[in-house]
Amino acid sequence: MMDKLKFENHIASVFDEELEEIRNDLMAMGGQVEQQLTDAVQAICEADSQLAEQVIQRDHRVDEMELEIDEACVLVIARRQPAASDLRLVVAVTRAVADLERIGDEAKKIAKHALELTESGPSPMGYSEVRHLAQSVSQILRNALDSFARFDADTALATMQEDKKIDMEYKTALRELVTYMMEDPRSISRVINILWVVRSLERIGDHAKNLCEQVVFVVKGKDIRHRNGQ
Amino acid sequence: MMDKLKFENHIASVFDEELEEIRNDLMAMGGQVEQQLTDAVQAICEADSQLAEQVIQRDHRVDEMELEIDEACVLVIARRQPAASDLRLVVAVTRAVADLERIGDEAKKIAKHALELTESGPSPMGYSEVRHLAQSVSQILRNALDSFARFDADTALATMQEDKKIDMEYKTALRELVTYMMEDPRSISRVINILWVVRSLERIGDHAKNLCEQVVFVVKGKDIRHRNGQ
């Protein structure tokens, strides 16, 4: 009896370790994706084509992390058959890695636009909009990852509200970019590059919001996706 | 012994029924999403604001389907503890519903642009590009869903190749739209609406490709995401 209990404890603790490792890997992936975003925005704003190339090259590492973590999650489900909150955590992680991978994709797209923009020479047009929006988006991503690290549903819910601010900033940026194009039609191709960058930033805000929804799912057991007709 | 076997068979067949139901629900969701895409494109091309409104209203049904299927998947994992190919199927379905939901989102975005465009009066500018691209994208989505319905990895792999054609058509459309804007700067706001529509169509092609990857995952047990540095 004693031995059996010990054995079960042993099993449980290996399981806990596995869950902990998956969570750590998710946080590492989050850190990597944050860095990709920061570097991509810097590459745009400082016309740094070398940094842009680095972001593009490093995206495959983000992709690998997604596959590794996803595989670990499927293995944990198959081997440990987690229930209740443990199962919710594993499910939430698989959803979260998909969002992180897409944030990585958007960062890569931003870096590609940075390359196209540096090729056609420096131009500050639209960069202040990018810088401004990127700051808000980076903050929301940081808060989302923090809420995941601490399983803090309150921070997650508060962060989701901030996404509205980003939508407003995004719309303002779009209007300004259209004005630039109308005033100087020769700039249209360049400004469209900025347009895609601004769109990517807005998408990253959405993905950060999705991360927050998964924190609430783990902590409260409620699936709050699509509550605001998203 | 006999009774136990019978009992296990009974359990297994309830499980099979549950899996079958999940798959049927996924196919129903796929059909709904296809309809949303068809209607959204028609709303754009025929300046039909009523149809656009319907697409926007119906999107919440797609969202609900995602939540329902996802919940069914989590329940099946918790209750039945599926292994091997059954587990892969459930995992693939949860990934597939996320892609279908996003296709639904893009259809809704297209419908919103249809509304904005009808408000500013009819104009055929860029519509032939939309029609052309929409045709290819609908075809790829149909093939992806067919390959899921029949667990046909060969069709899935062939369909993924077609995505390259879509990327080319997408780039051609973008170039033409930029030309329109340069030739008539007063049209910029309108053409940007079309630009977003074209982008949404391209994204839908990507999501269809993701569906195909999940078919290969179920059938062959191989995770082929990111194989082409996507």
Side-chain angles (χ1 to χ4, degrees), chain A residues 47-66:
Chain A
D48 185 340
S49 58
Q50 212 174 345
L51 190 57
E53 292 278 13
Q54 278 175 28
V55 172
I56 294 164
Q57 293 304 319
R58 279 191 315 226
D59 182 57
H60 80 101
R61 184 62 201 122
V62 174
D63 292 346
E64 281 170 9
M65 284 170 134
E66 180 191 22

Side-chain angles (χ1 to χ4, degrees), chain B residues 91-133:
Chain B
V91 169
V93 168
T94 65
R95 289 179 190 155
V97 290
D99 278 302
L100 287 176
E101 189 270 333
R102 275 163 190 169
I103 294 175
D105 260 4
E106 299 295 344
K108 184 180 169 188
K109 284 182 198 168
I110 292 172
K112 283 185 174 174
H113 290 296
L115 277 188
E116 287 183 38
L117 283 162
T118 50
E119 272 170 23
S120 55
S123 153
M125 211 184 239
Y127 284 12
S128 69
E129 284 82 359
V130 168
R131 214 183 285 267
H132 189 66
L133 189 59

Side-chain angles (χ1 to χ4, degrees), chain B residues 71-197:
Chain B
E71 202 184 345
C73 287
V74 173
L75 275 178
V76 157
I77 291 174
R79 278 202 214 130
R80 310 289 175 195
Q81 303 168 344
S85 69
D86 289 337
L87 179 55
R88 283 206 307 275
L89 172 60
V90 178
V91 169
V93 168
T94 65
R95 289 179 190 155
V97 290
D99 278 302
L100 287 176
E101 189 270 333
R102 275 163 190 169
I103 294 175
D105 260 4
E106 299 295 344
K108 184 180 169 188
K109 284 182 198 168
I110 292 172
K112 283 185 174 174
H113 290 296
L115 277 188
E116 287 183 38
L117 283 162
T118 50
E119 272 170 23
S120 55
S123 153
M125 211 184 239
Y127 284 12
S128 69
E129 284 82 359
V130 168
R131 214 183 285 267
H132 189 66
L133 189 59
Q135 228 155 26
S136 305
V137 168
S138 298
Q139 189 56 52
I140 218 178
L141 177 58
R142 169 156 297 270
N143 292 348
L145 289 169
D146 278 356
S147 74
F148 225 118
R150 292 183 282 116
F151 288 143
D152 178 347
D154 291 333
T155 301
L157 287 165
T159 304
M160 288 173 68
Q161 291 303 314
E162 285 173 53
D163 188 52
K164 284 176 192 155
K165 199 182 101 193
I166 288 187
D167 282 346
M168 268 180 52
E169 288 180 11
Y170 166 68
K171 279 173 189 158
T172 306
L174 284 191
R175 268 195 304 271
E176 279 165 23
L177 293 175
V178 170
T179 308
Y180 291 149
M181 286 192 257
M182 289 194 185
E183 282 171 358
D184 179 9
R186 286 163 311 167
S187 73
I188 287 175
S189 285
R190 287 183 59 76
V191 178
I192 283 181
N193 269 306
I194 305 278
L195 203 71
W196 296 133
V197 170

